[in-house]
């Protein structure tokens, strides 16, 4: 669900200098893109998660790559990229990530080493109605949350959240533009009352538990109906009428994440919802050095767009208005690719022929700094459980040898089965590119 995670990370002094943005306070023209974390900039700020409501204009954000029906299996991470490399070409790169992803035995593992904010792994193609399916083994432990979500740039959201303190069930949630099912707007209240609102419901799972056993989780998202399906059984159905027409209606990215909801610096209500503070000296930390969640095959089936949608191509979605409604989305032939990290939707080819077009520089004006590894979308006072963090120049290897620190990643290539450990990319329902580099939390 969309969650605000204030001060989760130890941000650098320059990170605090980023200009903030929201629906009531738009970015300036020289830094026109409002990231999902509520910061103004160019480059990555204008890609996945770029909030049209807080940006300088509706065309500041880059067009969103159109839905692609596809099955994903995990032989390596060759189809994934760090945000310092990704410039919007979803045809060449399916996923963007931050943190500590790794492929083991044909599965994707998301790791959360001690005192980090975990991992976020986001698909670069947007979905505008469809069915997504994933085989998942969640993480475990109080304060540890695994998430599988659909999140739009205006913070419409549909999700599964696995709270590690309860391995017998998974939470199902939906939100419209980040609005909670409560009076007030505090994250603490949202979590404290999650079980009483109509936005959220628990779904039980068969078998031993969500950590030890594989289960298949599906979201079937249609204009008139929304279903959560576990192991082939429909566990929850909502119609448009039942949700006061406040379900997700805008193109959304699929995000997978593992994050420390029980981090001591989080709001009291968030920690309570997560089952208590996270134990950084748990059995999993002592034995393997990290918490982990595992994803098997993931399937995406795209449905037809809503009837009557304006269509002038088949490459991308764009917003035609900053109200962020379904009627404001058009399908176009516009390119989704930026020429450099200095480019924006207003000048997408800027720097295209420069040697620094795909630079690994993490300038505060081109790389977002807010968020947590488990948050899918932060911005305008909200952050998602599924969405990453401030930049860090160095990191510890989560497995002893298989990952490369951000400081070394510019000159050292990690193995295809393991990703560089501390590059920034997305942050996510909790949550611009798609992800932000995972930083160590100061204790």
């Amino acid at each position: 669900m969309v969650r605000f995670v204030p001060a989760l990370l130890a941000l650098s002094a320059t990170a605090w200098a980023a200009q903030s943005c929201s629906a009531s306070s738009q970015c300036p023209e020289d830094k026109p893109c409002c990231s999902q974390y509520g910061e103004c900039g160019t480059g990555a700020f204008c890609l996945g998660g770029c909030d049209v409501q807080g940006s300088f204009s509706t065309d500041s954000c880059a067009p969103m790559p159109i839905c692609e029906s596809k099955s994903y299996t995990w032989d390596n991470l060759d189809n994934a990229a760090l945000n310092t490399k990704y410039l919007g070409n979803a045809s060449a790169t399916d996923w963007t990530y931050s943190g500590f992803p790794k492929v083991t035995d044909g599965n994707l593992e998301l790791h959360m080493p001690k005192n980090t904010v975990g991992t976020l792994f986001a698909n670069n193609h947007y979905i505008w109605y469809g069915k997504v399916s994933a085989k998942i083994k969640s993480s475990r432990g109080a304060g540890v949350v695994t998430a599988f979500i659909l999140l739009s740039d205006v913070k419409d959201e549909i999700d599964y959240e696995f709270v590690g303190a309860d391995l017998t069930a998974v939470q199902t949630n939906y939100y419209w533009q980040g609005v909670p099912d409560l009076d007030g707007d505090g994250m603490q209240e949202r979590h404290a009352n999650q079980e009483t609102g109509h936005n959220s419901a628990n779904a039980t799972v068969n078998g031993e538990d969500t950590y030890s056993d594989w289960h298949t989780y599906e979201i079937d998202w249609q204009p008139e109906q929304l279903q959560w399906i576990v192991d082939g059984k429909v566990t929850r159905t909502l119609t448009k009428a039942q949700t006061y027409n406040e379900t997700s209606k805008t193109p959304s990215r699929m995000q997978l994440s593992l994050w420390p909801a029980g981090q001591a610096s989080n709001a009291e209500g968030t920690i309570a919802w997560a089952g208590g503070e996270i134990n950084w000296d748990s059995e999993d930390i002592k034995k393997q050095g990290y918490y982990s969640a595992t994803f098997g095959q993931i399937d995406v089936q795209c449905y037809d767009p809503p009837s009557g949608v304006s269509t002038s191509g088949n490459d991308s979605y764009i917003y035609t208005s900053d109200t962020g409604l379904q009627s404001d989305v058009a399908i176009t032939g516009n390119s989704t690719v930026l020429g450099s990290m200095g480019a924006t939707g207003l000048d997408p080819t800027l720097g295209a022929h420069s040697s620094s077009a795909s630079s690994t520089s993490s300038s505060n004006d081109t790389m977002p700094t807010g968020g947590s590894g488990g948050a899918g979308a932060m911005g305008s006072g909200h952050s998602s459980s599924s969405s990453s963090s401030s930049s860090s120049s160095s990191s510890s290897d989560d497995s002893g040898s298989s990952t490369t620190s951000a400081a070394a990643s510019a000159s050292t290539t990690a193995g295809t089965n393991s990703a560089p450990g501390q590059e920034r990319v997305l942050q996510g329902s909790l949550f611009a590119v798609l992800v932000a580099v995972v930083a160590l939390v100061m204790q």
Side-chain angles (χ1 to χ4, degrees):
M1 104 184 231
V2 177
R3 318 177 191 291
F4 178 52
V5 190
L8 180 60
L9 305 173
L11 300 180
S12 66
T14 56
W16 291 107
Q19 181 171 340
S20 62
C21 50
S22 68
S24 60
S25 180
Q26 284 75 31
C27 294
E29 188 171 7
D30 63 328
K31 299 174 185 177
C33 299
C34 183
S35 79
Q36 59 191 2
Y37 318 116
E39 299 169 341
C40 298
T42 64
F45 287 75
C46 306
L47 295 171
C50 183
D51 185 350
V52 67
Q53 294 178 323
S55 295
F56 174 74
S57 61
T58 56
D59 52 354
S60 297
C61 301
M64 301 166 277
I66 202 166
C67 189
E68 181 177 77
S69 295
K70 193 170 184 178
S71 293
Y72 298 96
T73 55
W74 309 103
D75 295 323
N76 51 56
L77 291 176
D78 290 350
N79 64 342
L82 295 162
N83 66 332
T84 53
K85 300 294 185 182
Y86 180 70
L87 289 174
N89 187 355
S91 297
T93 305
D94 291 313
W95 303 86
T96 309
Y97 65 86
S98 68
F100 308 87
K102 184 179 180 181
V103 169
T104 303
D105 297 329
N107 298 307
L108 173 67
E109 293 183 355
L110 306 185
H111 292 178
M112 183 164 64
K114 185 174 182 177
N115 294 334
T116 72
V117 294
T119 299
L120 181 64
F121 209 82
N123 196 264
N124 292 328
H125 291 274
Y126 283 69
I127 300 166
W128 200 15
Y129 297 111
K131 178 184 281 189
V132 294
S133 172
K135 293 183 63 178
I136 303 172
K137 285 185 176 182
S138 73
S139 191
R140 63 179 176 181
V144 181
V145 174
T146 307
F148 173 46
I149 77 169
L150 296 176
L151 183 71
S152 84
D153 293 352
V154 295
K155 298 173 184 63
D156 289 346
E157 179 175 349
I158 307 166
D159 71 40
Y160 284 103
E161 291 186 294
F162 305 80
V163 177
D166 179 9
L167 301 180
T168 66
V170 58
Q171 296 182 4
T172 65
N173 308 287
Y174 72 92
Y175 299 93
W176 176 79
Q177 295 198 0
V179 177
D181 180 34
L182 300 165
D183 293 330
D185 61 358
M187 172 178 66
Q188 182 166 338
E189 291 92 339
R190 287 202 293 275
H191 286 151
N193 293 278
Q194 185 163 3
E195 295 305 316
T196 64
H198 70 263
N199 292 66
S200 304
N202 275 0
T204 58
V205 297
N206 296 321
E208 184 176 348
D209 57 48
T210 62
Y211 172 79
S212 300
D213 296 338
W214 284 109
H215 295 280
T216 300
Y217 303 89
E218 297 175 272
I219 296 171
D220 191 350
W221 178 31
Q222 303 178 41
E224 301 297 325
Q225 177 178 277
L226 175 60
Q227 291 185 319
W228 289 262
I229 304 166
V230 179
D231 294 330
K233 179 181 178 181
V234 176
T235 62
R236 187 183 185 191
T237 300
L238 292 173
T239 64
K240 181 187 292 187
Q242 289 174 311
T243 61
Y244 309 107
N245 201 29
E246 292 185 351
T247 52
S248 297
K249 296 180 179 65
T250 51
S252 300
R253 291 175 300 147
M254 177 173 54
Q255 302 182 11
L256 328 173
S257 67
L258 176 63
W259 65 290
Q263 174 63 33
S265 59
N266 283 349
E268 182 179 344
T270 301
I271 296 173
W273 164 78
E277 287 193 22
I278 193 168
N279 178 7
W280 291 117
D281 293 310
S282 68
E283 176 186 348
D284 287 347
I285 293 293
K286 290 179 177 178
K287 183 177 179 179
Q288 57 192 21
Y290 51 81
Y291 288 103
S292 67
T294 308
F295 291 79
Q297 181 169 318
I298 294 175
D299 298 307
V300 177
Q301 179 185 352
C302 306
Y303 292 163
D304 291 337
S307 60
V309 62
S310 173
T311 303
S312 59
N314 194 39
D315 297 315
S316 58
Y317 306 116
I318 63 168
Y319 284 99
T320 59
S321 167
D322 62 6
T323 54
L325 301 177
Q326 176 176 284
S327 57
D328 300 323
V329 180
I331 302 176
T332 76
N334 297 353
S335 173
T336 65
V337 180
L338 296 179
S340 70
M341 282 298 175
T344 71
L346 301 175
D347 189 0
T349 61
L350 178 67
H353 302 295
S354 169
S355 60
S356 61
S358 60
S359 169
T360 58
S361 170
S362 56
S363 164
N364 191 53
D365 293 337
T366 63
M367 304 299 294
T369 58
S372 85
M378 172 181 284
S380 306
H382 299 287
S383 153
S384 166
S385 73
S386 31
S387 13
S388 236
S389 73
S390 73
S391 57
S392 174
S393 61
S394 63
S395 69
S396 298
D397 191 329
D398 69 52
S399 61
S401 62
S402 64
T403 50
T404 304
S405 71
S409 63
S411 58
T412 303
T413 301
T416 57
N417 288 349
S418 182
Q422 291 284 25
E423 293 268 12
R424 295 195 44 118
V425 200
L426 187 86
Q427 174 205 335
S429 136
L430 296 257
F431 346 159
V433 126
L434 306 178
V435 227
V437 169
V438 176
L440 297 179
V441 177
M442 302 300 292
Q443 298 296 305

